[in-house]
Amino acid sequence: MTNKAYYHLPGLFEFYELYQEFLPLFYEHREYFYDWCEIGSIYGAPADCIWGGGRVGFGDCDPGEALALMKKWGISARLTFSNSLLREEHLSDEKCNALCKLLESEGAVQNGVIVHSELLLNYLKKNYPGLYLVSSTTKVLTQFEQLFSEIQRDEFRYVVPDFRLNKAFKQLDGLTKKQKEKVEFLCNECCWFGCKDRKRCYENVSRKNLGERCLDHRCSAPNAKEGYLFSKAMTNPGFIGISDIKNVYLPMGFSNFKIEGRSLGSALILEFLLYYMTKPEYQIHVREKIYLDNMLDLF
């Protein structure tokens, strides 16, 4: 049994302006929010990071400002460097190295990197030992044996399994307390539960981040043209809602939950923050305080 859920939120660089407004609300008006949840980290990658993966980065805020915001509130910053197709020549990239150096040297708490490539993993361990490492969901670990092997690796502080293992309760409950503390569930995935192209989709993103010319990945899932809809994500068999977190996962000893959404608009990210963290009677208060800031473009 664990008493706190730690959310790992999207958009460190992509939604900097939103978090400028939201974080003071969260920490200065805790009566608005569930007392059983905290912010474990905020993750993301600026535009034009060749080590990036999962999504094509578009954040354009100053990295120093983003890190200063995290440091002010004592939040761990994570770089999403989950490109799966990196080669030796990519490791010398100046921008990505500078970001790692910045995160390693600054921060009220330890910062980390979400990683897929074994090549990058070994490089980071050697050159930036002050950063903790997270095994990326882009590895698409759909078999529990794969997940268990990944959890056993000492290099990783957290492991994010494929969302299709979210409800493998019999196997998950058999993990030790220490193993459960490493599992970070992806809560709000909208991808088709029967998708067999997920790894190829992530590889397409990796190629784009490397600047390689390639065709867009054509998703063959039913209703793929609809794009991301939170209402659709809620019907996904792998969806983890707040009642699941409170009544199932926390009692089982799991405490880490990842919210996806780096490629979505800030209005939708706000809906995630309202749903997962904000008491219903105070959601209007949070909405008003965010929407009434005319400097924040939510649409």
Side-chain angles (χ1 to χ4, degrees):
M1 175 73 179
T2 184
N3 296 320
K4 290 281 186 181
Y6 293 90
Y7 288 123
H8 303 276
L9 303 175
L12 174 62
F13 306 98
E14 298 88 341
F15 302 116
Y16 169 75
E17 292 84 1
L18 174 61
Y19 288 117
Q20 269 190 309
E21 302 300 321
F22 178 77
L23 294 179
L25 288 175
F26 182 74
Y27 288 106
E28 296 172 1
H29 292 275
R30 280 310 308 252
E31 72 276 12
Y32 292 175
F33 304 95
Y34 297 121
D35 58 7
W36 49 264
C37 72
E38 298 288 348
I39 298 174
S41 73
I42 301 180
Y43 65 91
D48 301 320
C49 285
I50 65 171
W51 295 358
R55 299 291 183 268
V56 177
F58 63 88
D60 59 359
C61 80
D62 179 83
E65 292 182 5
L67 191 58
L69 182 64
M70 298 301 102
K71 188 174 182 179
K72 177 179 180 179
W73 299 108
I75 299 171
S76 178
R78 290 182 182 177
L79 295 168
T80 306
F81 282 168
S82 52
N83 195 306
S84 63
L85 302 177
L86 296 176
R87 300 185 296 274
E88 190 74 35
E89 62 264 30
H90 297 136
L91 298 180
S92 60
D93 182 78
E94 291 185 8
K95 182 171 186 177
C96 295
N97 277 282
L99 285 165
C100 288
K101 185 176 181 180
L102 179 65
L103 262 70
E104 187 180 44
S105 62
E106 296 288 339
V109 294
Q110 190 179 18
N111 298 317
V113 181
I114 304 169
V115 64
H116 181 136
S117 164
E118 290 293 318
L119 183 67
L120 181 60
L121 167 72
N122 292 326
Y123 179 81
L124 293 172
K125 284 169 56 181
K126 178 181 178 181
N127 292 279
Y128 305 101
L131 298 173
Y132 68 84
L133 302 175
V134 182
S135 176
S136 173
T137 191
T138 62
K139 294 181 180 181
V140 192
L141 305 178
T142 58
Q143 301 299 315
F144 193 83
E145 293 77 13
Q146 297 173 310
L147 172 62
F148 185 77
S149 296
E150 199 79 351
I151 293 170
Q152 294 287 83
R153 297 180 62 175
D154 293 334
E155 303 100 311
F156 297 120
R157 180 176 297 184
Y158 302 100
V159 175
V160 186
D162 188 87
F163 69 103
R164 285 162 289 198
L165 289 179
N166 284 356
K167 305 294 176 71
F169 294 127
K170 184 177 180 180
Q171 297 100 314
L172 289 167
D173 201 30
L175 297 175
T176 65
K177 180 178 183 294
K178 184 177 180 180
Q179 291 166 347
K180 289 179 179 180
E181 290 172 350
K182 292 183 71 170
V183 180
E184 184 178 311
F185 293 100
L186 181 58
C187 295
N188 61 328
E189 179 58 64
C190 193
C191 184
W192 181 39
F193 199 78
C195 178
K196 298 186 185 301
D197 295 331
R198 194 166 172 82
K199 183 166 275 190
R200 283 192 290 273
C201 178
Y202 284 135
E203 287 177 352
N204 183 261
V205 173
S206 292
R207 290 189 181 93
K208 289 182 177 180
N209 281 329
L210 290 173
E212 297 178 3
R213 297 183 66 179
C214 58
L215 296 175
D216 289 340
H217 174 75
R218 296 288 184 178
C219 182
S220 59
N223 304 317
K225 292 182 180 179
E226 293 179 351
Y228 187 97
L229 297 172
F230 194 24
S231 57
K232 186 168 74 172
M234 288 179 169
T235 67
N236 192 303
F239 179 73
I240 299 176
I242 56 171
S243 61
D244 300 312
I245 292 172
K246 288 171 57 181
N247 301 323
V248 179
Y249 291 90
L250 292 182
M252 285 178 65
F254 295 101
S255 57
N256 289 287
F257 303 91
K258 181 175 183 176
I259 309 301
E260 77 162 25
R262 284 196 300 135
S263 62
L264 306 176
S266 45
L268 191 48
I269 302 301
L270 177 58
E271 289 305 311
F272 299 154
L273 300 175
L274 293 169
Y275 172 79
Y276 280 105
M277 303 175 71
T278 313
K279 296 175 183 176
E281 64 269 29
Y282 288 111
Q283 289 181 2
I284 187 62
H285 295 74
V286 176
R287 276 196 183 93
E288 286 177 340
K289 289 180 182 296
I290 299 294
Y291 286 141
L292 291 178
D293 183 339
N294 294 324
M295 297 300 292
L296 183 61
D297 181 11
L298 286 172
F299 301 100

